[in-house]
Amino acid sequence: MFRFTKAPTYLLLSALLSSSLPAIASDANRLPEMGTTAASTLTIDKELEYGDAYMRILSASQPVINDPLLSDYVQSLGHKLVASADDVRTPFNFFLIQNPEINAFAFFGGYVAIHSGLFLHAKTESELASVIAHEIAHVTQRHLARKMEADARNSPITMAALIGSLLLTVAAPEAGLAAMHATTAAGMQGQINFTRSNEKEADRIGIKTLAKAGFDAHAMPRFFGRLADQYRYTSKLPAMLLTHPLPESRLTDSRMRARNYPTVILPPSERYLLARSRIVARNANFSEASSLNWLNRELKKAAPNRRNELNYGKALVYLDNGKYKQAHQLLDPLLASEPNNLFFIDAATDLDLYQKQYDRAISRLTTALKGNPNSNVLRLNLANAYLESGKYQQSIQILNRYAYDHPKDTNGWTLLAKNYAKLGNRSAELAALGELLALRAQWDKAINNYTQAAQMAKLGSMDQARYDARIDQLRFERQRFKALQK
């Protein structure tokens, strides 16, 4: 008997791809290519629709990390792997969830979620990349679509109804689980056999992708093996081992496959280590003392040329706790040694703003943008610096363009809403907040926001016409979203 609670509801989607029972022995070097078998029942366009719907629900229910620096890092790492993957049919979107559990999962439309806790257990960038490569393989091989197809073949219900039940599960756990139980008649053994193949196939293809992208292919069995050893005798398994079980046969198979590739000795990735330190400082649910203890323990073991990344983490802890003198002592030499490092520029800007040194922050960012004009991190930082300094129109000018380029990034809409609130432009503020609501699938509230905005706008103005047009779009999106759940 399994107990489901609201907090881990999204794990249901990953669990559909896995099994905790031992694998049936098979040829270690030959597995069937099954990546296109779902094409007859679920189109790529439909997968994209379901993925967008699931992401909106997830954004409303889980603590998605909207940190521009961390988002930039995981997106660049993920797309480096995608560039070396085969059978890519969808765009990919990689994002972080603030959760100490060791886990990652993929779902329709190329969305790959990574728990912040994974950074604390992956010792190298190759180990982190191995988990992401495994999830990319789940998407390219359309494992979830194939799982749904298998269920649809073995029950009188349609593929659409099964997926609708899954989306309903995420939105309303109790109702959704009842729908899943009512519509799924496939035998348990059939599910086990299918998902066991998925995990091995994702390992095989993920290792190949990892090697082609220039990472150490041996990182996958090494990381998974360490997890299996660590939790071998515990009754409380991490989420990754619940949704991606590791029977000995799977570990043996992944080790054998990795032997087909040379061991790659890579220098430590500075960006990975900086991202890891940033997560320890801000996204690990640690207290100030716990964060500093973790970073200091790592400093004792670190090579002399790898201490900057850990001192950066300590600088963030001091900064976030109002200890600006200690933050300066650590951060100033880091910035002097690498003046173009976005992690250091971002932290120095935060320090400037906390100390109300607005002109210094703006000067720092405008100079940095001259050398890196397309940096989303710098654009958002500059918009925020203008906002904090009271230069709202300059901030809005940057953010209007940013929101146009990145309409699904909540950072742009959040900053726009704050600027318009400061200016007393209530209709524009409501519109920006309406976009945030729509990104969380809160359609009725989003439409209400835009309706109020249209009523406040000048009669016959361009703003009123724009708000009315957006109301029509949101009503259409609401209708389509509800249709997916039926």
Side-chain angles (χ1 to χ4, degrees), residues 19 21-24 154 185-196:
S19 162
L21 298 187
I24 295 174
N154 289 289
M188 181 59 69
Q189 188 60 45
Q191 293 184 31
I192 290 167
N193 290 339
F194 189 83
T195 56
R196 179 163 52 237

Side-chain angles (χ1 to χ4, degrees), residues 69 335 339-353 357-389 398:
L69 268 171
L335 193 59
N340 298 319
N341 187 307
L342 291 182
F343 284 86
F344 300 159
I345 292 172
D346 174 90
T349 300
D350 284 349
L351 191 52
D352 290 338
L353 295 180
Q357 299 289 334
Y358 303 123
D359 290 343
R360 186 165 64 187
I362 291 168
S363 175
R364 184 195 309 283
L365 292 167
T366 51
T367 299
L369 270 167
K370 291 176 183 176
N372 194 358
N374 297 318
S375 169
N376 292 333
V377 173
L378 293 175
R379 290 167 70 190
L380 286 170
N381 264 289
L382 182 56
N384 185 57
Y386 279 136
L387 167 64
E388 293 293 324
S389 67
I398 294 171

Side-chain angles (χ1 to χ4, degrees), residues 89-386:
R89 301 174 181 85
T90 65
F92 272 81
N93 186 0
F94 303 87
F95 64 98
L96 285 163
I97 291 177
Q98 185 162 317
N99 191 316
E101 286 274 4
I102 311 165
N103 202 19
F105 60 96
F107 55 95
F108 290 126
Y111 288 92
V112 177
I114 303 153
H115 280 198
S116 57
L118 194 55
F119 279 78
L120 306 185
H121 292 82
K123 292 186 176 180
T124 66
E125 187 173 48
S126 285
E127 290 189 357
L128 176 64
S130 74
V131 177
I132 298 174
H134 177 98
E135 299 304 328
I136 290 170
H138 276 315
V139 175
T140 60
Q141 299 310 109
R142 306 189 72 192
H143 284 160
L144 184 56
R146 286 159 46 195
K147 174 68 178 69
M148 292 295 185
E149 181 186 45
D151 285 349
R153 276 200 308 265
N154 289 289
S155 77
I157 203 68
T158 65
M159 170 78 82
L162 284 167
I163 297 173
S165 296
L166 179 62
L167 292 175
L168 185 59
T169 300
V170 182
E174 294 77 11
L177 285 169
M180 287 291 288
H181 292 316
T183 59
T184 303
M188 181 59 69
Q189 188 60 45
Q191 293 184 31
I192 290 167
N193 290 339
F194 189 83
T195 56
R196 179 163 52 237
S197 300
N198 288 348
E199 288 305 300
K200 279 197 171 185
E201 189 176 40
D203 286 347
R204 171 174 63 86
I205 294 171
I207 287 173
K208 180 182 176 182
T209 299
L210 199 63
K212 284 178 65 178
F215 294 100
D216 181 11
H218 298 261
M220 183 180 290
R222 184 169 61 243
F223 178 62
F224 288 163
R226 192 169 69 247
L227 278 185
D229 289 342
Q230 183 177 349
Y231 291 96
R232 191 178 304 277
Y233 302 109
T234 182
S235 59
K236 183 175 172 57
L237 294 175
M240 174 163 279
L241 297 189
L242 291 173
T243 58
H244 302 76
L246 284 168
E248 188 59 40
S249 60
R250 182 181 161 202
L251 287 173
T252 300
D253 185 73
S254 65
R255 290 184 184 115
M256 290 179 62
R257 294 185 185 283
R259 288 182 192 140
N260 294 323
Y261 303 93
T263 299
V264 178
I265 307 300
L266 296 171
S269 163
E270 182 188 36
R271 289 191 76 203
Y272 167 70
L273 295 172
L274 288 170
R276 193 184 194 210
S277 290
R278 190 175 180 91
I279 282 174
V280 169
R282 291 182 168 173
N283 302 106
N285 298 327
F286 286 169
S287 65
E288 177 186 356
S290 296
S291 295
L292 291 174
N293 287 339
W294 193 98
L295 293 162
N296 284 327
R297 283 196 304 271
E298 292 296 308
L299 272 167
K300 290 179 181 178
K301 300 181 289 184
N305 64 337
R306 295 274 66 93
R307 290 175 181 166
N308 281 357
E309 294 88 351
L310 294 162
N311 281 327
Y312 162 75
K314 291 180 66 175
L316 289 183
V317 176
Y318 289 134
L319 171 63
D320 293 343
N321 286 279
K323 298 178 179 179
Y324 304 137
K325 181 178 179 181
Q326 293 96 316
H328 264 301
Q329 289 172 344
L330 290 170
L331 192 56
D332 290 350
L334 296 178
L335 193 59
S337 66
E338 295 184 60
N340 298 319
N341 187 307
L342 291 182
F343 284 86
F344 300 159
I345 292 172
D346 174 90
T349 300
D350 284 349
L351 191 52
D352 290 338
L353 295 180
Y354 280 135
Q355 296 182 299
K356 303 188 185 305
Q357 299 289 334
Y358 303 123
D359 290 343
R360 186 165 64 187
I362 291 168
S363 175
R364 184 195 309 283
L365 292 167
T366 51
T367 299
L369 270 167
K370 291 176 183 176
N372 194 358
N374 297 318
S375 169
N376 292 333
V377 173
L378 293 175
R379 290 167 70 190
L380 286 170
N381 264 289
L382 182 56
N384 185 57
Y386 279 136

